[in-house]
Amino acid sequence: MVDFGTGESWRHLDNHTRVYRPGQINPSRLPRTSAPMAFALSVDGDTLFWTAVGSRTLYSIPTERLRDRSLSSEVQAQASVVSRGEKGISDGLETDSNGLIYLGNFEDNAINVFNPANGTVSVFARDARIAWTDAFAIAKDGYIYFTENQLWRTKAYYPGTDRRVKPYVLFRAKLPGNGTKVNLQ
């Protein structure tokens, strides 16, 4: 954690099994142990969601547990981690103004959406061109923008062969329920 106002920094959940978790599966030669890769804040900023590369599980923690620097703060932080269930393998998470969290699902060529209000995961968009969504951005225009990184087509996954296809693509899709960018201020 970093306090940009004071410049102070501290750590929570360092080496916690739900942060640095052994990979549950190994598609496309992903590392068996993966670090956290994708993060999103809830619409009110009170909850941090994350996932690790190679993991199908979405986790969360109240942000107050991460800001706490008391003597018992690490024990309380570790006890506050919640598994939100399976969501498909993904990089990138993003939250819209309706509180929905969007995440890639490269196993199903899809963008999934997690609804924290009821704990469900559903398909938001599916297309053969959605292969490995790496980053999301929600704009004020009511669209979610995302890229396809084609990492799984690089020499690291196909030794000696670069199978990436140009031009690289930036996609967009209209958000449901008049969703738009979250502004935490």
Side-chain angles (χ1 to χ4, degrees):
M1 303 299 303
V2 176
D3 182 329
F4 288 113
T6 66
E8 295 178 278
S9 64
W10 61 97
R11 297 181 72 93
H12 276 307
L13 305 176
D14 197 24
N15 295 318
H16 188 277
T17 58
R18 292 184 175 178
V19 175
Y20 294 96
R21 180 186 174 106
Q24 297 165 330
I25 58 169
N26 195 18
S28 305
R29 298 182 215 116
L30 283 174
R32 283 282 180 195
T33 301
S34 299
M37 182 61 171
F39 302 90
L41 284 171
S42 61
V43 72
D44 58 10
D46 290 343
T47 305
L48 176 71
F49 295 87
W50 78 87
T51 188
V53 174
S55 173
R56 287 189 174 111
T57 307
L58 181 66
Y59 297 100
S60 69
I61 188 170
T63 55
E64 70 179 331
R65 295 278 57 95
L66 298 173
R67 292 188 304 270
D68 184 1
R69 297 179 70 191
S70 68
L71 291 176
S72 62
S73 64
E74 181 60 20
V75 171
Q76 291 180 29
Q78 290 187 20
S80 299
V81 174
V82 175
S83 172
R84 296 300 191 116
E86 292 201 3
K87 44 76 183 154
I89 298 177
S90 61
D91 287 354
L93 299 175
E94 183 66 277
T95 308
D96 76 7
S97 60
N98 293 316
L100 300 174
I101 299 172
Y102 298 84
L103 28 88
N105 179 351
F106 63 77
E107 293 176 294
D108 295 323
N109 295 83
I111 304 299
N112 287 350
V113 62
F114 173 72
N115 184 338
N118 60 23
T120 60
V121 174
S122 58
V123 174
F124 169 66
R126 181 176 283 142
D127 187 289
R129 296 171 295 173
I130 301 174
W132 189 326
T133 302
D134 189 41
F136 294 102
I138 292 178
K140 291 180 182 179
D141 65 2
Y143 283 86
I144 185 168
Y145 293 82
F146 56 96
T147 60
E148 292 300 316
N149 71 10
Q150 298 190 43
L151 179 64
W152 56 278
R153 292 179 171 171
T154 65
K155 291 179 182 180
Y157 292 86
Y158 293 99
T161 306
D162 186 347
R163 297 182 178 189
R164 292 176 290 176
V165 178
K166 297 178 183 176
Y168 302 117
V169 180
L170 172 67
F171 293 99
R172 77 176 190 163
K174 185 73 174 155
L175 295 171
N178 296 317
T180 189
K181 181 181 180 77
V182 173
N183 189 5
L184 292 174
Q185 290 197 23

